[in-house]
Amino acid sequence: MASDQGSKLGHLKIGLDAIPPIERSVENGVLRETRAFRGVTLEQAVNYLENLGGERTGEAEIQGDRWKAHLSAEKVPVGPSYRLTEVTVTWVGDEDVLEPVIFRFRLKTFRAPG
């Protein structure tokens, strides 16, 4: 059963990795990654990061163990007459700690098209 879950997570990771980040850099083991998420509110994103071990340090700032995240939100057009909230998150922290946090956050915020 555990291998089934590992296989499922592996497939999800492959699918998620098809969506590139806005920005990604690693320098001396410190990862900086920015990603945009549509269909979630700023408050939902903050709550997700708190559930992943972060603590709110500002209205749109979360601090975790060896990582931090800054969030912003704006309405973006989707088609000619519809607007959707897009939350942008920039993470900075130790690569080995931050990679699983970003992956779990992305799983939580994944929205299937349609």
Side-chain angles (χ1 to χ4, degrees):
M1 183 93 167
S3 65
D4 287 344
Q5 182 156 352
S7 175
K8 183 177 180 182
L9 286 177
H11 283 92
L12 289 172
K13 182 166 180 9
I14 290 168
L16 287 174
D17 286 347
I19 304 166
I22 294 169
E23 171 202 11
R24 180 181 168 87
S25 64
V26 180
E27 189 171 317
N28 297 322
V30 176
L31 171 63
R32 178 182 176 85
E33 184 163 317
T34 301
R35 290 187 173 270
F37 302 90
R38 291 184 176 180
V40 296
T41 66
L42 184 64
E43 194 60 35
Q44 286 172 322
V46 167
N47 287 336
Y48 296 161
L49 288 168
E50 288 175 328
N51 288 333
L52 292 171
E55 183 176 316
R56 188 184 292 222
T57 58
E59 186 175 328
E61 300 281 338
I62 303 293
Q63 180 81 41
D65 182 25
R66 298 175 24 212
W67 62 270
K68 61 183 173 181
H70 173 77
L71 299 88
S72 62
E74 66 178 327
K75 294 283 188 181
V76 295
V78 179
S81 62
Y82 188 69
R83 296 177 69 75
L84 195 62
T85 300
E86 181 175 83
V87 174
T88 301
V89 183
T90 298
W91 289 274
V92 177
D94 291 356
E95 183 179 19
D96 61 330
V97 172
L98 196 48
E99 286 280 4
V101 171
I102 294 171
F103 176 69
R104 291 193 323 259
F105 182 86
R106 293 178 68 206
L107 283 176
K108 186 71 173 168
T109 60
F110 178 74
R111 303 292 185 263

